[in-house]
Amino acid sequence: MLVHTAPWFRDHLITLVGTGMRPGELLGLRADRVDLAVDLAGRRLEVVEVRYEAGRFGRGYKDRPKSATSIRVIPLAGPVAEAIARQLPDGSPPRTLVFAGPGGGNFVPAGSRTALSRDNLRRAYRAAVTRASHPAARLGYTPGRVLRALRKAGPEQSPEAIRGGLRGRLPTTRTVHAALCELEAAGLAARRPSAGDDGWEGLRWSATTPPRDDSLANLRLRGPHNLRHTFSTWLEDAGIPARVIDELMGHAGGRHGGGELERRGSLIGSRYRWTTPEMQAPVVAAVEQRLAISLSIAPGSLGHRVGRGEDACHGGERGQPA
């Protein structure tokens, strides 16, 4: 998910999966509700304000979530605190929204902070899911154009013939070749050297169909709320008590004995149970351990994809397959 998420939204997803917040809670989080203390035990945020979108009834921010139980303090793992810090400009006023949009479009300069709607966050999430499953959805603008022209032209096409099939402003033949190398790295194109020593200009290219990645097929991924499920599953897998998980997620069962485990014991006893800092430490450790795996894989995967394309282009300069 992180590899195929637009860079601006990676911090959003890291924080969602590392805190279990609802998307509306994330988008309503303000700077004065976050404590990024140097002391690891002091890193936390408080969920209070929520971004709401109620169709014809309006949209905006409300100063309380849907229930009093949802007002809660969540300890922050290191990678989550770093993601929040990246999103907060230096010297931000207390009421600054932590998570905003990247700007760009509708007369908004690119890179400026804009209020982010839940629909936009959902679209970014779904785009990442699509890119993770479909290699063609990961392509940039020029490789995408070249792939469409190659599929339309048929097999055994030269870079110059593919270039002639493009519409609009034409890139150079060398740029087309570089795009073809990227397609080859993604498994979407294959090359065949010509009979003569014509260099890369003599290569003949054909579109290919890579195997579909079905690793997400058994999951019902609908939106960023899925990451809230991941957070609770991570904690349960780490052996965190169900009552603590409920409390961190803002579920009523966490404090009032509504969970299945609490119903087996004393209802009054569950009312006297509170989460201490010592009980929060395993939560932070569990999230950090799992995020460390994701963050170690994501940069390597990005670099591997780019590297394959570069090697393919370099190897094709003399008409030899990389």
Side-chain angles (χ1 to χ4, degrees), residues 14-26:
I14 289 172
T15 304
L16 280 172
V17 78
T19 62
M21 286 195 292
R22 301 174 178 90
E25 295 170 343
L26 178 92

PDB file of all heavy atoms in Angstrom, residues 14-26:
ATOM      1  N   ILE A  14       0.032   5.936   7.257  1.00  0.00           N
ATOM      2  CA  ILE A  14       0.848   5.468   8.382  1.00  0.00           C
ATOM      3  C   ILE A  14       0.171   5.821   9.705  1.00  0.00           C
ATOM      4  O   ILE A  14       0.120   5.011  10.640  1.00  0.00           O
ATOM      5  CB  ILE A  14       2.253   6.087   8.311  1.00  0.00           C
ATOM      6  CG1 ILE A  14       3.033   5.475   7.144  1.00  0.00           C
ATOM      7  CG2 ILE A  14       3.012   5.876   9.613  1.00  0.00           C
ATOM      8  CD1 ILE A  14       4.360   6.150   6.879  1.00  0.00           C
ATOM      9  N   THR A  15      -0.387   7.035   9.782  1.00  0.00           N
ATOM     10  CA  THR A  15      -1.027   7.452  11.031  1.00  0.00           C
ATOM     11  C   THR A  15      -2.336   6.709  11.254  1.00  0.00           C
ATOM     12  O   THR A  15      -2.661   6.331  12.390  1.00  0.00           O
ATOM     13  CB  THR A  15      -1.272   8.974  11.006  1.00  0.00           C
ATOM     14  OG1 THR A  15      -0.027   9.643  10.765  1.00  0.00           O
ATOM     15  CG2 THR A  15      -1.841   9.458  12.327  1.00  0.00           C
ATOM     16  N   LEU A  16      -3.089   6.473  10.213  1.00  0.00           N
ATOM     17  CA  LEU A  16      -4.330   5.715  10.363  1.00  0.00           C
ATOM     18  C   LEU A  16      -4.056   4.309  10.888  1.00  0.00           C
ATOM     19  O   LEU A  16      -4.708   3.844  11.829  1.00  0.00           O
ATOM     20  CB  LEU A  16      -5.069   5.642   9.023  1.00  0.00           C
ATOM     21  CG  LEU A  16      -5.884   6.850   8.595  1.00  0.00           C
ATOM     22  CD1 LEU A  16      -6.387   6.670   7.173  1.00  0.00           C
ATOM     23  CD2 LEU A  16      -7.053   7.092   9.541  1.00  0.00           C
ATOM     24  N   VAL A  17      -3.092   3.631  10.283  1.00  0.00           N
ATOM     25  CA  VAL A  17      -2.841   2.248  10.671  1.00  0.00           C
ATOM     26  C   VAL A  17      -2.111   2.175  12.012  1.00  0.00           C
ATOM     27  O   VAL A  17      -2.181   1.154  12.709  1.00  0.00           O
ATOM     28  CB  VAL A  17      -2.031   1.519   9.573  1.00  0.00           C
ATOM     29  CG1 VAL A  17      -0.553   1.872   9.625  1.00  0.00           C
ATOM     30  CG2 VAL A  17      -2.224   0.010   9.651  1.00  0.00           C
ATOM     31  N   GLY A  18      -1.435   3.254  12.399  1.00  0.00           N
ATOM     32  CA  GLY A  18      -0.688   3.240  13.645  1.00  0.00           C
ATOM     33  C   GLY A  18      -1.451   3.761  14.841  1.00  0.00           C
ATOM     34  O   GLY A  18      -0.939   3.689  15.968  1.00  0.00           O
ATOM     35  N   THR A  19      -2.664   4.284  14.626  1.00  0.00           N
ATOM     36  CA  THR A  19      -3.460   4.813  15.744  1.00  0.00           C
ATOM     37  C   THR A  19      -4.858   4.218  15.810  1.00  0.00           C
ATOM     38  O   THR A  19      -5.500   4.294  16.861  1.00  0.00           O
ATOM     39  CB  THR A  19      -3.609   6.339  15.630  1.00  0.00           C
ATOM     40  OG1 THR A  19      -4.307   6.662  14.410  1.00  0.00           O
ATOM     41  CG2 THR A  19      -2.243   7.024  15.632  1.00  0.00           C
ATOM     42  N   GLY A  20      -5.355   3.651  14.723  1.00  0.00           N
ATOM     43  CA  GLY A  20      -6.717   3.127  14.719  1.00  0.00           C
ATOM     44  C   GLY A  20      -7.772   4.210  14.656  1.00  0.00           C
ATOM     45  O   GLY A  20      -8.955   3.940  14.894  1.00  0.00           O
ATOM     46  N   MET A  21      -7.388   5.444  14.314  1.00  0.00           N
ATOM     47  CA  MET A  21      -8.383   6.507  14.211  1.00  0.00           C
ATOM     48  C   MET A  21      -9.303   6.292  13.018  1.00  0.00           C
ATOM     49  O   MET A  21      -8.922   5.706  12.006  1.00  0.00           O
ATOM     50  CB  MET A  21      -7.691   7.875  14.074  1.00  0.00           C
ATOM     51  CG  MET A  21      -7.083   8.393  15.346  1.00  0.00           C
ATOM     52  SD  MET A  21      -6.681  10.167  15.227  1.00  0.00           S
ATOM     53  CE  MET A  21      -5.350  10.110  14.036  1.00  0.00           C
ATOM     54  N   ARG A  22     -10.524   6.804  13.142  1.00  0.00           N
ATOM     55  CA  ARG A  22     -11.436   6.847  12.017  1.00  0.00           C
ATOM     56  C   ARG A  22     -10.955   7.936  11.047  1.00  0.00           C
ATOM     57  O   ARG A  22     -10.318   8.907  11.464  1.00  0.00           O
ATOM     58  CB  ARG A  22     -12.857   7.137  12.474  1.00  0.00           C
ATOM     59  CG  ARG A  22     -13.408   6.100  13.466  1.00  0.00           C
ATOM     60  CD  ARG A  22     -14.768   6.512  14.010  1.00  0.00           C
ATOM     61  NE  ARG A  22     -15.335   5.519  14.916  1.00  0.00           N
ATOM     62  CZ  ARG A  22     -15.128   5.508  16.233  1.00  0.00           C
ATOM     63  NH1 ARG A  22     -14.384   6.461  16.798  1.00  0.00           N
ATOM     64  NH2 ARG A  22     -15.674   4.566  16.981  1.00  0.00           N
ATOM     65  N   PRO A  23     -11.242   7.808   9.747  1.00  0.00           N
ATOM     66  CA  PRO A  23     -10.806   8.841   8.799  1.00  0.00           C
ATOM     67  C   PRO A  23     -11.256  10.246   9.199  1.00  0.00           C
ATOM     68  O   PRO A  23     -10.487  11.200   9.087  1.00  0.00           O
ATOM     69  CB  PRO A  23     -11.443   8.396   7.476  1.00  0.00           C
ATOM     70  CG  PRO A  23     -11.532   6.905   7.601  1.00  0.00           C
ATOM     71  CD  PRO A  23     -11.853   6.655   9.044  1.00  0.00           C
ATOM     72  N   GLY A  24     -12.495  10.390   9.684  1.00  0.00           N
ATOM     73  CA  GLY A  24     -12.969  11.706  10.098  1.00  0.00           C
ATOM     74  C   GLY A  24     -12.191  12.247  11.285  1.00  0.00           C
ATOM     75  O   GLY A  24     -11.973  13.464  11.397  1.00  0.00           O
ATOM     76  N   GLU A  25     -11.757  11.353  12.180  1.00  0.00           N
ATOM     77  CA  GLU A  25     -10.949  11.780  13.321  1.00  0.00           C
ATOM     78  C   GLU A  25      -9.572  12.236  12.870  1.00  0.00           C
ATOM     79  O   GLU A  25      -9.021  13.208  13.390  1.00  0.00           O
ATOM     80  CB  GLU A  25     -10.847  10.635  14.329  1.00  0.00           C
ATOM     81  CG  GLU A  25     -12.187  10.254  14.954  1.00  0.00           C
ATOM     82  CD  GLU A  25     -12.136   8.978  15.771  1.00  0.00           C
ATOM     83  OE1 GLU A  25     -11.161   8.203  15.619  1.00  0.00           O
ATOM     84  OE2 GLU A  25     -13.065   8.742  16.560  1.00  0.00           O
ATOM     85  N   LEU A  26      -9.007  11.542  11.902  1.00  0.00           N
ATOM     86  CA  LEU A  26      -7.708  11.939  11.364  1.00  0.00           C
ATOM     87  C   LEU A  26      -7.787  13.321  10.733  1.00  0.00           C
ATOM     88  O   LEU A  26      -6.924  14.177  10.972  1.00  0.00           O
ATOM     89  CB  LEU A  26      -7.242  10.920  10.331  1.00  0.00           C
ATOM     90  CG  LEU A  26      -5.909  11.242   9.657  1.00  0.00           C
ATOM     91  CD1 LEU A  26      -4.757  10.607  10.413  1.00  0.00           C
ATOM     92  CD2 LEU A  26      -5.893  10.791   8.198  1.00  0.00           C
TER      93      LEU A  26
END
